[in-house]
Amino acid sequence: MENESNKWMKDTGAKGLKIRLHNNVYGTLIAIFRNDTKKICVCEVDNTYTFNEAEINSTDWKLATYIPVEILKNL
């Protein structure tokens, strides 16, 4: 994953929307970060932030297995 952190683009256009995550859990969208192959969304669920990931053309969200430092720096 060489230089993968440089590829993440932040999209806040949908900020505030409710989205369905995993297991019928809904969250309020804070931001979505995208690269060439996947996206990571930051959502507020029950007063906590969750990080969820999906393939770039999918809405099948699952809990993120890792969060790149570049995403954390750009929240």
Side-chain angles (χ1 to χ4, degrees), residues 47-64:
N47 295 320
T48 59
Y49 285 152
T50 64
F51 295 84
N52 302 277
E53 63 185 2
E55 296 300 317
I56 197 70
N57 293 322
S58 174
T59 57
D60 185 22
W61 296 101
K62 61 182 179 178
L63 288 174

Side-chain angles (χ1 to χ4, degrees), residues 8-74:
W8 291 100
M9 301 295 295
K10 184 177 183 180
D11 177 3
T12 57
K15 185 176 181 178
L17 292 178
K18 293 275 189 193
I19 65 169
R20 182 177 174 263
L21 301 170
H22 50 86
N23 299 328
N24 289 323
V25 171
Y26 286 82
T28 302
L29 188 63
I30 304 300
I32 294 179
F33 294 84
R34 304 176 199 284
N35 70 12
D36 291 338
T37 59
K38 74 177 178 178
K39 54 192 173 183
I40 294 178
C41 73
V42 182
C43 289
E44 184 177 346
V45 178
D46 297 331
N47 295 320
T48 59
Y49 285 152
T50 64
F51 295 84
N52 302 277
E53 63 185 2
E55 296 300 317
I56 197 70
N57 293 322
S58 174
T59 57
D60 185 22
W61 296 101
K62 61 182 179 178
L63 288 174
T65 55
Y66 74 96
I67 293 76
V69 172
E70 188 66 25
I71 288 177
L72 296 173
K73 287 181 179 179
N74 285 299

